[in-house]
Amino acid sequence: MELGAAGVRALSSRAMGRSPVLTACLVLCATGGAAAGGPSQGGQGSAQGNAKTSKVTIETDPPGAKVYFNVKEDGEVCTTPCTVDAPIGETPIIVEAENRRAIIENLVVPKKTARPIQVSYKLKPAYGSLVIEGSDGATIKIDEHAQGTAPRRFDEVLAGAHHVVLEKDGKKIYDEFVEVEIDTDTSVAAPRSAEPPPAPPPAPGVIATREPEDSAHRLPTVAVAAATDVGFRQFTYSNNRSTDQQHDETETGQVLTGATVDVWPTTLLHLGVLPGFALHGRFQIGVNPQRITQKNAMTGATTPTSLSTSWRSLEISARQRWTIASAWTLEVGAGYTDDRYQFSSDHPIPGEAPPPAVPDAAYKAVRIGGRASLLLGGLEPYISAENRLVLSGGALANRYTLGTSVNGVLAALGAVVHLGQFEIRGEASLAHYGWTFRPDMGDPQADGASDLIERLGLSVGYVY
């Protein structure tokens, strides 16, 4: 019911004859009803404003991950490292990177913070499994590394493309890049015939994932080997004017035996980078000391002395190897060596004359070198060379009061035979150390010397 101004006046005139109180009530009710019954003017306005946000810095290891809020359909927020405006309170966050396990959790942003919030996420590598089926006895290579014989299963393989080669009777029967997916078994169905396939094999199938009982690594992680060398030494003085005090030295058939250890730390820790980086250690000790004799200058008679040879060899180095076109490799390395060609003295021989001043040398040096090899199936011939910056020369260096200088080089030729997880290595090496002497008046007189060491080595090891 609506009353205009005329209606109000009519009610007022009718009530004039009635009590003043009744008249006032009628006027107030009519006026209030008209005001209440009229249409609303102007709308309600916005009930809420924009949600509040706060600055958040997001970092990941490794960087380059994509960040999403709530659901991925809302679109990418940023790529790490980045700083974004995040809603205050709890917000679902998704962090993803290629070949890494995604992180899904709640990002909690408090209302008040003394400083900008910083969050960090570590994305673990994502693994799958690679199953080599068929071709019993075929040699397996994954990313140019020998991995035993088929059939075989490999777990904890980094997700992504891997170069798989199968060889049998000296012929390649499978050579493809295989895509390993996260948390799945990727099967390679190789032909059973030793003849090369007439056409590329079909794309590898993917079957349901299952938790493996045994864990095998696609790349080598640790290698140990027993190593034995036979050494020959020829030490020759230059312009030696003190032959009664010092003379040339020849040593043959010195046997050193010991072990070598190689560790691939990035593969062992599943870091997914620098798979060819390895730490190498070698220690060998002489096992057949030989008695030193001296010749009487007047009679020509040769008599034994209380001195005997004492050889020892140590190396600790780091190496990086690259495989090129699946046909050859290149390796560079640097490290520390301690090769000792020394002499020990047991109980003096009765009536023995003072023993001669033997070339007792301990070459503590920094080695810098490289190696190249060919990949011929299970055979890998190689050639290597290195420079040795000698830090200390041992007792021989201390013999000359005014000082000495020495430097060395080494060249080697060898081959490795890969028999599944086993390796047999043969090597011939030649090391040369050149000396320069600066003697004082009371020192033995010589201008310098040449120390030539030849070694023939054989090692047998196991690669895991």
Side-chain angles (χ1 to χ4, degrees), residues 218-288:
R218 67 174 182 87
L219 293 175
T221 56
V222 178
V224 294
T228 299
D229 288 8
V230 179
F232 306 85
R233 185 187 188 197
Q234 180 66 50
F235 189 95
T236 307
Y237 286 98
S238 175
N239 195 21
N240 184 13
R241 299 177 295 278
S242 301
T243 55
D244 57 331
Q245 295 177 280
Q246 59 186 10
H247 56 76
D248 296 344
E249 174 73 15
T250 300
E251 301 165 23
T252 61
Q254 297 282 339
V255 178
L256 298 99
T257 187
T260 65
V261 177
D262 292 271
V263 178
W264 288 262
T266 59
T267 304
L268 187 64
L269 299 175
H270 308 300
L271 299 181
V273 295
L274 293 178
F277 178 73
L279 301 177
H280 174 76
R282 172 180 56 83
F283 179 75
Q284 293 172 288
I285 190 169
V287 296
N288 63 331

Side-chain angles (χ1 to χ4, degrees), residues 443-459:
D443 300 335
Q445 300 298 304
D447 295 339
S450 172
D451 198 358
L452 191 65
I453 299 101
E454 302 167 273
R455 290 168 66 165
L456 299 175
L458 178 68
S459 66

Side-chain angles (χ1 to χ4, degrees), residues 18 32 68 83 89 126 155 157 159 164 180 184 189 198 251 259 268 270 278 303 314 318-319 424 448 461:
R18 303 181 182 180
Y68 305 87
T83 300
D155 297 308
V157 179
V164 179
V180 175
T184 62
E251 301 165 23
L268 187 64
H270 308 300
T303 58
L314 170 71
R319 302 173 177 179
I424 301 176

Side-chain angles (χ1 to χ4, degrees), residues 359-404:
D360 190 312
Y363 297 112
K364 300 180 179 180
V366 174
R367 64 167 294 272
I368 302 173
R371 190 182 87 168
S373 68
L374 292 174
L375 300 176
L376 305 175
L379 178 65
E380 184 181 344
Y382 65 86
I383 185 172
S384 64
E386 63 185 59
N387 186 30
R388 295 195 170 183
L389 308 176
V390 180
L391 308 175
S392 173
L396 180 60
N398 299 328
R399 189 180 302 169
Y400 297 89
T401 306
L402 300 182
T404 62

Side-chain angles (χ1 to χ4, degrees), residues 2-14 30:
E2 295 184 1
L3 294 176
V8 173
R9 287 193 298 270
L11 289 173
S12 298
S13 61
R14 291 176 183 175

Side-chain angles (χ1 to χ4, degrees), residues 48-396:
Q48 293 181 348
N50 294 330
K52 294 183 178 180
T53 62
S54 180
K55 294 288 186 183
V56 176
T57 298
I58 305 173
E59 297 178 348
T60 59
D61 180 15
K66 295 183 178 180
V67 179
Y68 305 87
F69 285 165
N70 296 312
V71 292
K72 292 181 63 175
E73 287 73 10
D74 291 347
E76 179 184 340
V77 175
C78 67
T79 300
T80 63
C82 57
T83 300
V84 298
D85 292 320
I88 292 176
E90 290 191 13
T91 302
I93 184 172
I94 304 171
V95 184
E96 290 184 344
E98 185 176 3
N99 295 336
R100 300 280 171 165
R101 294 190 179 276
I103 294 178
I104 303 175
E105 60 180 45
N106 281 340
L107 175 66
V108 180
V109 180
K111 292 183 179 180
K112 295 182 179 180
T113 57
R115 61 186 63 182
I117 298 174
Q118 182 173 349
V119 293
S120 179
Y121 301 97
K122 184 175 181 62
L123 299 171
K124 297 181 179 179
Y127 295 106
S129 298
L130 182 62
V131 182
I132 310 296
E133 300 176 342
S135 294
D136 294 356
T139 301
I140 304 171
K141 285 186 179 180
I142 303 177
D143 295 331
E144 285 66 57
H145 290 274
Q147 297 294 330
T149 56
R152 193 167 181 184
R153 176 189 178 88
F154 299 90
D155 297 308
E156 293 188 3
V157 179
L158 284 174
H162 297 280
H163 188 200
V164 179
V165 177
L166 299 181
E167 295 181 351
K168 192 170 185 179
D169 299 331
K171 298 180 180 180
K172 289 184 179 179
I173 61 174
Y174 188 91
D175 187 351
E176 293 291 336
F177 279 88
V178 177
E179 187 72 25
V180 175
E181 299 186 11
I182 300 173
D183 292 334
T184 62
D185 287 357
T186 301
S187 298
V188 172
R192 297 185 180 274
S193 172
E195 295 297 325
V206 177
I207 60 177
T209 183
R210 65 179 180 87
E211 189 67 22
E213 296 180 358
D214 300 317
S215 177
H217 300 277
R218 67 174 182 87
L219 293 175
T221 56
V222 178
V224 294
T228 299
D229 288 8
V230 179
F232 306 85
R233 185 187 188 197
Q234 180 66 50
F235 189 95
T236 307
Y237 286 98
S238 175
N239 195 21
N240 184 13
R241 299 177 295 278
S242 301
T243 55
D244 57 331
Q245 295 177 280
Q246 59 186 10
H247 56 76
D248 296 344
E249 174 73 15
T250 300
E251 301 165 23
T252 61
Q254 297 282 339
V255 178
L256 298 99
T257 187
T260 65
V261 177
D262 292 271
V263 178
W264 288 262
T266 59
T267 304
L268 187 64
L269 299 175
H270 308 300
L271 299 181
V273 295
L274 293 178
F277 178 73
L279 301 177
H280 174 76
R282 172 180 56 83
F283 179 75
Q284 293 172 288
I285 190 169
V287 296
N288 63 331
Q290 300 178 8
R291 182 74 67 179
I292 300 300
T293 60
Q294 60 181 344
K295 187 176 182 180
N296 190 305
M298 297 181 61
T299 65
T302 300
T303 58
T305 70
S306 59
L307 294 177
S308 59
T309 58
S310 177
W311 285 26
R312 194 175 73 181
S313 183
L314 170 71
E315 178 185 346
I316 300 173
S317 60
R319 302 173 177 179
Q320 173 61 40
R321 170 181 164 124
W322 296 274
T323 301
I324 302 172
S326 302
W328 60 289
T329 71
L330 180 65
E331 178 180 292
V332 296
Y336 172 79
T337 61
D338 185 354
D339 291 339
R340 302 190 179 191
Y341 307 101
Q342 298 179 303
F343 302 84
S344 61
S345 177
D346 51 16
H347 299 291
I349 299 175
E352 175 188 10
V358 291
D360 190 312
Y363 297 112
K364 300 180 179 180
V366 174
R367 64 167 294 272
I368 302 173
R371 190 182 87 168
S373 68
L374 292 174
L375 300 176
L376 305 175
L379 178 65
E380 184 181 344
Y382 65 86
I383 185 172
S384 64
E386 63 185 59
N387 186 30
R388 295 195 170 183
L389 308 176
V390 180
L391 308 175
S392 173
L396 180 60

